[in-house]
Amino acid sequence: MVHARKGGRPRKYLSDDERLAAHRVSNRASWKKRAEQQNLSRREKYRKQRPTADKGHRLEQVIFKNAPGTYNPLAAITMPVRKPSDSILKESDREDLARASLLKAQQVEVEFTTYVGIDPRSFVQARLLEYLSQVSSDDENREALDTIDSPAEMIGQLRQKCYDIRDHVWQRVGSGEHYDRITDIMDNMRRVERWLQDISCEALVSSQSLRDMYSQNQLQYQK
């Protein structure tokens, strides 16, 4: 319990609960910023790996002429235009490409299942208990967070592979059964990734806060 003191500036927090709540808000904001930075880095990496003009993609400048004395905000915009060889595929070729892409995504799913196991909740709980065993109730060992963050990063990399595969299907074939099945695989990976990120976020507040939420079944993977 926080005790009042005489003199000096007024206390910012009048109780441990207020202090803990404020720290939770601050650390959630910090985690969100870090997640945004990671997503930006992944998007930049993806853009560098996307097909370039020599693989059938190009940009065409489209000019919209203004009437005299008028303002047109679309006076000059750049629009992506596909070559016919990219946009027109035989139905049999589209089906073959979609099946091959789904097979690749399923191979990534096998990697995910091999890493996580058949019960993702048990995997997440094992990582949580491993983390808690490395810290005391009043300790905030940031190095121990690798027990949580490393699996989350690994799963994020596998999910990104599926995202790249799905994006290729979207560009060449469009939506459909195979696209939806790849999305389902991605969603399963994303769910486990979010469970781990939720634990990491609470651990940044304090290990005791994480223990309390675990004992009260308030973590996302417990719901």
Side-chain angles (χ1 to χ4, degrees), residues 116-124:
V116 172
I118 60 175
D119 186 359
R121 294 180 189 274
S122 297
F123 171 82
V124 173

Side-chain angles (χ1 to χ4, degrees), residues 73-88:
L74 299 180
I77 62 173
T78 302
M79 299 179 62
V81 179
R82 296 184 186 279
K83 290 182 178 180
S85 60
D86 284 339
S87 57
I88 301 177

Side-chain angles (χ1 to χ4, degrees), residues 22-76:
H23 285 185
R24 182 177 289 112
V25 171
S26 175
N27 282 289
R28 279 190 182 277
S30 176
W31 171 83
K32 183 178 180 180
K33 181 179 179 180
R34 184 176 63 178
E36 290 175 350
Q37 291 174 343
Q38 290 178 346
N39 289 336
L40 178 61
S41 176
R42 289 172 181 171
R43 285 195 295 269
E44 290 297 329
K45 181 179 178 181
Y46 168 71
R47 290 191 184 101
K48 293 179 181 179
Q49 294 175 347
R50 290 191 66 176
T52 53
D54 59 345
K55 295 183 180 180
H57 292 75
R58 63 190 175 89
L59 293 177
E60 182 175 286
Q61 190 76 9
V62 181
I63 306 299
F64 293 85
K65 294 183 178 180
N66 291 335
T70 63
Y71 168 71
N72 184 354
L74 299 180

Side-chain angles (χ1 to χ4, degrees), residues 101-175:
S101 298
L102 177 59
L103 180 60
K104 290 181 181 180
Q106 289 173 334
Q107 292 172 346
V108 178
E109 184 181 27
V110 170
E111 292 184 52
F112 170 73
T113 304
T114 301
Y115 182 67
V116 172
I118 60 175
D119 186 359
R121 294 180 189 274
S122 297
F123 171 82
V124 173
Q125 179 158 306
R127 303 288 79 74
L128 169 62
L129 296 178
E130 182 180 352
Y131 167 77
L132 292 176
S133 68
Q134 298 178 34
V135 295
S136 61
S137 59
D138 58 349
D139 186 17
E140 297 183 13
N141 188 349
R142 299 302 174 89
E143 294 181 359
L145 275 175
D146 286 340
T147 306
I148 306 298
D149 291 341
S150 293
E153 183 177 357
M154 175 65 178
I155 295 171
Q157 292 173 356
L158 294 175
R159 181 176 58 82
Q160 183 65 36
K161 288 182 181 180
C162 286
Y163 179 86
D164 294 342
I165 295 170
R166 189 187 68 167
D167 185 66
H168 183 63
V169 173
W170 172 258
Q171 292 179 11
R172 303 301 303 275
V173 179
S175 61

